[in-house]
Amino acid sequence: PPPGFEVSTDNITFSHTVTLGTGGNITGKVYVRLAATTSAGSYQGDITLSSPGVMAVIATAPSTVNPAQPYVSASRASGKSTSGRGSASTATQQFTLTAVDLHALLTATASDNNFEVSLSPSFGFTHTIDVANISGDLGPTVIYVRASASAPGGRVTGTVSLHSEGAPSRILGFAHQPL
């Protein structure tokens, strides 16, 4: 096959060449795919099916590899956020996020001033945090959420938005119940 392509007779084991048989009337399928290591771009070339003494058959194999799309994923929240009126919560809720193929800063932002976020369960709580400024994948990262000291009395609900330019935003809901 042309560069970037692989062939197989079983659609499981792929390589640069395959053998369908050793003589006589041979029938079978040849599967063609782009190799996993092929970078983004458009590819085209000819695949030649040949045997000694037989006219070669040429098949064209066009294909495109699209760049990976940035993606942010988050688990369900766990934990319980409680506090006395007028004080920040000492108990936190938390969730774990991962991201694939980031190209820009990843932030976590509380929807209003009733909640705060942090990368630590005990300090650094604020309205918005920079989670990661990487190019590529982000492994499991825990985000902690608590009710702020300015949260009103009674049950309070809000959201945390995860955003990185080029990736779909994720929004998670949270609730706080004062003691």
Side-chain angles (χ1 to χ4, degrees), residues 67-135:
Q69 296 296 311
Y71 184 78
V72 178
S73 174
S75 68
R76 298 186 125 230
S78 63
K80 189 174 183 181
S81 176
T82 58
S83 69
R85 182 175 289 195
S87 63
S89 177
T90 55
T92 62
Q93 295 178 65
Q94 63 204 39
F95 63 92
T96 302
L97 68 88
T98 57
V100 176
D101 201 35
L102 292 180
H103 302 290
L105 176 68
L106 174 62
T107 59
T109 303
S111 60
D112 53 41
N113 289 328
N114 294 331
F115 288 93
E116 299 172 317
V117 289
S118 176
L119 290 169
S120 166
S122 54
F123 62 89
F125 283 90
T126 185
H127 181 68
T128 298
I129 58 171
D130 294 343
V131 178
N133 191 10
I134 64 167
S135 181

Side-chain angles (χ1 to χ4, degrees), residues 18-176:
V18 293
T19 301
L20 287 175
T22 57
N25 240 354
I26 300 171
T27 60
K29 291 182 180 181
V30 175
Y31 300 89
V32 181
R33 73 174 185 190
L34 284 166
T37 57
T38 304
S39 58
S42 293
Y43 296 86
Q44 184 168 331
D46 294 333
I47 297 171
T48 304
L49 305 172
S50 64
S51 182
V54 177
M55 183 193 293
V57 175
I58 298 175
T60 301
S63 194
T64 300
V65 177
N66 296 319
Q69 296 296 311
Y71 184 78
V72 178
S73 174
S75 68
R76 298 186 125 230
S78 63
K80 189 174 183 181
S81 176
T82 58
S83 69
R85 182 175 289 195
S87 63
S89 177
T90 55
T92 62
Q93 295 178 65
Q94 63 204 39
F95 63 92
T96 302
L97 68 88
T98 57
V100 176
D101 201 35
L102 292 180
H103 302 290
L105 176 68
L106 174 62
T107 59
T109 303
S111 60
D112 53 41
N113 289 328
N114 294 331
F115 288 93
E116 299 172 317
V117 289
S118 176
L119 290 169
S120 166
S122 54
F123 62 89
F125 283 90
T126 185
H127 181 68
T128 298
I129 58 171
D130 294 343
V131 178
N133 191 10
I134 64 167
S135 181
D137 299 345
L138 175 67
T141 302
V142 177
I143 305 296
Y144 299 90
V145 182
R146 74 175 185 188
S148 68
S150 62
R155 181 176 163 81
V156 178
T157 60
T159 61
V160 172
S161 174
L162 303 173
H163 179 75
S164 181
E165 191 65 38
S169 293
R170 295 288 175 251
I171 299 174
L172 293 91
F174 290 89
H176 167 73

